[in-house]
Amino acid sequence: VVDTYRALVEYDGTLYSGFQVQANRPTIQGELERVLERLLQVPVRITGAGRTDAGVHAHGQVISFRADWSHGLIDLQRAMNALLPSDIAVRDLTGMSPEFHARYSAVSREYVYRILDSAVRAPLWERYAYRATQALVLPAMIEAARWLEGTHDYAAFGQPPVGENTIRTVHRVCWWQSRTGWDTPKDTGAFPLTCFSIEANAFLRGMVRRIVGTLLMVGQGQLSVEEFRAILLAGEISRAAPPAPAHGLCLWRVRYT
Amino acid sequence: VVDTYRALVEYDGTLYSGFQVQANRPTIQGELERVLERLLQVPVRITGAGRTDAGVHAHGQVISFRADWSHGLIDLQRAMNALLPSDIAVRDLTGMSPEFHARYSAVSREYVYRILDSAVRAPLWERYAYRATQALVLPAMIEAARWLEGTHDYAAFGQPPVGENTIRTVHRVCWWQSRTGWDTPKDTGAFPLTCFSIEANAFLRGMVRRIVGTLLMVGQGQLSVEEFRAILLAGEISRAAPPAPAHGLCLWRVRYT
């Protein structure tokens, strides 16, 4: 019997050329399909909720696939985790009704971007955070980011898939500062990380990283809040900053109804 | 003119056979000495405040060395960071009086150990945290750890360097739960990390990891708080748990008067 499955997938994207399968390159999709084919003895095509770029991480990527598996869910999850490389894992596996589709059924995606404010290299933080060498003015970044919320044309920050427009709905943005879990409760000095999250119904290609890149210019005093807003309204990708580096970005969560 | 320097060194210990130099193996000391020899054109011997084991990380390792460098401190720090591999960095460099010695001048060392409570593999957290597959009872671990504070014979948890005894003074221990900086402010569920810190005048070889390993047995209900205390008092290393895995441990800070 062929059933539909939903898997919650976490990965460290450092060594991968992104989610989407490409010939002769390591990809998340490629690894997952290789493992499923080995377990099910037939080619399996998976669908991901978000196509993360090369080097982008995921805590809450969601994939769907159809498979004829006669053992239990737990057995399939364990078998996948035993065969997947150590930087990819299936955190949860659920049987779904046949209409479920990881991409089309998703109602929103949330990404988190982490920035380390440090003039000097910091080996313990740099794998999962972008190091900004100039000090950042957080209130300006908070104010600018609020203009992103709502339903807008985001052509300034990314390109749509073929046949789609550039209108999206950003449900929520948030900037915060954070400790890392290694800092002890008595470390009361500066917070090592400055973080940004953005939740939208869907994103254009490169949208989160271009938004962060442009907000960083605001934080560094190279753009005013009004100029940020003008870039959004003008809708010309050439006016936005280049995408912020991939390794600071993480697909945090995908919501379904 | 030969001057004495103190460097604050951060490293990701994943790829190294520990701090202390060993023939034909990558070590933190080996990398630092190689870089200093290249810059100063003479062999340089460095001293570290703590000899971290293979796979252990450091946020605040301190080293001292003597060198004849005619340019500025900032230039030496930049040159070192340019030549060091990306997983080792000099976070700060200071000129010191000739009596300064990273090990003998230190008055205390603080280590942090991070535990991820998860039955399933978690690629984003496991590089810098040990994954405990059984649920942990935090109050029992807190209670047991308090018996460590004070001046005691810690022979139960490690071996001393040649010519030293096993008496040390533990200034402070702390257990806490933490977010990671990726979790957003609206993530109000379980904390992903359980962390432990311990500050002492000095540590025996393997002491922090054996203490954490034994406290984990308390957290998992395999030892009572009284049994933990009896292990400490008995002073027999064979009664302690094996050392907890290295990758959860980080030399957080070294204090000088």
Side-chain angles (χ1 to χ4, degrees):
Chain A
V1 190
V2 177
D3 291 306
T4 299
Y5 294 91
R6 177 180 72 186
L8 181 68
V9 181
E10 180 170 318
Y11 48 86
D12 177 331
T14 307
L15 302 178
Y16 296 91
S17 298
F19 181 82
Q20 199 173 6
V21 77
Q22 297 176 54
N24 303 318
R25 280 166 174 267
T27 63
I28 306 300
Q29 184 183 357
E31 291 297 316
L32 288 161
E33 291 182 350
R34 178 183 63 74
V35 163
L36 284 170
E37 177 165 351
R38 179 150 161 216
L39 291 170
L40 300 161
Q41 302 289 314
V42 291
V44 178
R45 177 49 44 127
I46 67 164
T47 301
R51 292 185 184 170
T52 55
D53 292 337
V56 173
H57 313 293
H59 173 64
Q61 172 73 282
V62 175
I63 65 165
S64 57
F65 57 92
R66 309 198 73 210
D68 182 356
W69 173 261
S70 48
H71 312 288
L73 275 172
I74 289 286
D75 295 315
L76 182 54
Q77 183 184 358
R78 283 196 187 135
M80 290 179 76
N81 282 334
L83 295 176
L84 283 166
S86 65
D87 48 10
I88 306 176
V90 174
R91 297 281 299 166
D92 186 57
L93 185 67
T94 317
M96 302 297 287
S97 64
E99 320 83 75
F100 179 78
H101 187 281
R103 180 139 55 107
Y104 302 136
S105 307
V107 296
S108 78
R109 286 91 175 153
E110 181 174 14
Y111 282 88
V112 173
Y113 197 94
R114 304 210 303 182
I115 297 158
L116 179 74
D117 202 348
S118 170
V120 181
R121 290 204 288 107
L124 283 178
W125 321 117
E126 289 186 44
R127 191 176 179 96
Y128 304 119
Y130 163 63
R131 183 165 63 85
T133 52
Q134 265 187 272
L136 300 171
V137 180
L138 193 57
M141 295 195 293
I142 291 170
E143 194 185 340
R146 293 192 59 179
W147 289 110
L148 295 164
E149 289 183 338
T151 300
H152 299 286
D153 183 334
Y154 295 93
F157 297 115
Q159 277 149 348
V162 176
E164 286 187 21
N165 65 25
T166 47
I167 294 171
R168 298 289 185 274
T169 299
V170 171
H171 300 303
R172 177 164 26 191
V173 294
C174 184
W175 277 104
W176 72 100
Q177 293 190 295
S178 175
R179 305 213 170 279
T180 63
W182 258 332
D183 334 36
T184 65
K186 67 185 154 66
D187 287 312
T188 52
F191 289 84
L193 295 171
T194 299
C195 306
F196 175 69
S197 74
I198 182 165
E199 182 176 355
N201 63 339
F203 290 91
L204 304 170
R205 198 110 183 104
M207 178 170 159
V208 182
R209 288 167 55 202
R210 279 198 194 82
I211 284 173
V212 172
T214 311
L215 288 171
L216 282 169
M217 291 184 70
V218 174
Q220 291 167 346
Q222 297 168 266
L223 281 179
S224 69
V225 172
E226 270 312 308
E227 286 166 326
F228 179 86
R229 192 181 172 210
I231 288 169
L232 169 64
L233 294 174
E236 293 163 28
I237 210 163
S238 59
R239 290 180 59 182
H247 66 282
L249 186 60
C250 183
L251 172 51
W252 186 251
R253 184 188 288 123
V254 183
R255 284 184 200 279
Y256 295 87
T257 39
Chain B
V1 191
V2 177
D3 291 308
T4 300
Y5 294 90
R6 177 180 72 187
L8 181 68
V9 180
E10 180 170 318
Y11 47 85
D12 178 329
T14 307
L15 302 179
Y16 296 91
S17 299
F19 180 82
Q20 198 173 5
V21 77
Q22 297 177 54
N24 303 319
R25 280 167 174 267
T27 63
I28 307 300
Q29 184 182 358
E31 291 296 316
L32 288 161
E33 291 183 350
R34 178 183 62 75
V35 162
L36 284 169
E37 176 164 352
R38 180 152 160 215
L39 290 170
L40 300 162
Q41 302 289 315
V42 291
V44 178
R45 176 53 39 130
I46 67 166
T47 301
R51 292 186 184 171
T52 55
D53 291 337
V56 173
H57 313 293
H59 173 63
Q61 173 72 283
V62 175
I63 65 165
S64 57
F65 57 93
R66 308 197 75 209
D68 181 356
W69 173 261
S70 49
H71 310 288
L73 275 171
I74 290 285
D75 295 315
L76 182 55
Q77 184 184 358
R78 283 196 187 135
M80 290 179 76
N81 282 334
L83 295 175
L84 284 166
S86 65
D87 47 11
I88 306 177
V90 174
R91 297 281 300 165
D92 186 57
L93 185 66
T94 316
M96 301 298 285
S97 64
E99 319 84 73
F100 179 78
H101 186 282
R103 180 140 54 109
Y104 301 136
S105 307
V107 296
S108 78
R109 286 91 175 152
E110 182 175 14
Y111 283 87
V112 174
Y113 197 95
R114 305 210 302 182
I115 297 157
L116 179 73
D117 202 348
S118 170
V120 182
R121 288 204 290 109
L124 282 177
W125 320 118
E126 289 186 43
R127 190 176 180 95
Y128 304 119
Y130 163 62
R131 184 165 63 84
T133 52
Q134 267 187 272
L136 299 172
V137 180
L138 193 57
M141 294 194 294
I142 291 170
E143 195 185 339
R146 293 191 62 180
W147 289 109
L148 296 164
E149 290 184 337
T151 299
H152 299 286
D153 184 333
Y154 295 93
F157 297 115
Q159 277 149 348
V162 177
E164 285 187 21
N165 66 26
T166 47
I167 294 171
R168 298 289 184 275
T169 299
V170 171
H171 300 303
R172 178 163 26 192
V173 295
C174 184
W175 277 104
W176 71 100
Q177 292 190 296
S178 175
R179 304 214 169 276
T180 63
W182 257 333
D183 335 37
T184 66
K186 66 185 156 67
D187 287 313
T188 52
F191 289 84
L193 294 171
T194 299
C195 306
F196 174 69
S197 74
I198 182 166
E199 182 176 355
N201 63 339
F203 290 92
L204 305 170
R205 198 111 183 103
M207 179 170 157
V208 182
R209 290 167 56 203
R210 279 198 195 83
I211 284 174
V212 172
T214 311
L215 287 171
L216 282 169
M217 290 184 71
V218 175
Q220 292 167 345
Q222 298 168 265
L223 282 179
S224 69
V225 172
E226 270 313 308
E227 286 166 326
F228 179 85
R229 192 180 173 214
I231 288 169
L232 169 64
L233 294 175
E236 293 163 29
I237 210 163
S238 59
R239 290 181 59 182
H247 66 280
L249 185 60
C250 184
L251 172 51
W252 186 250
R253 184 189 285 123
V254 183
R255 286 185 198 278
Y256 295 88
T257 40

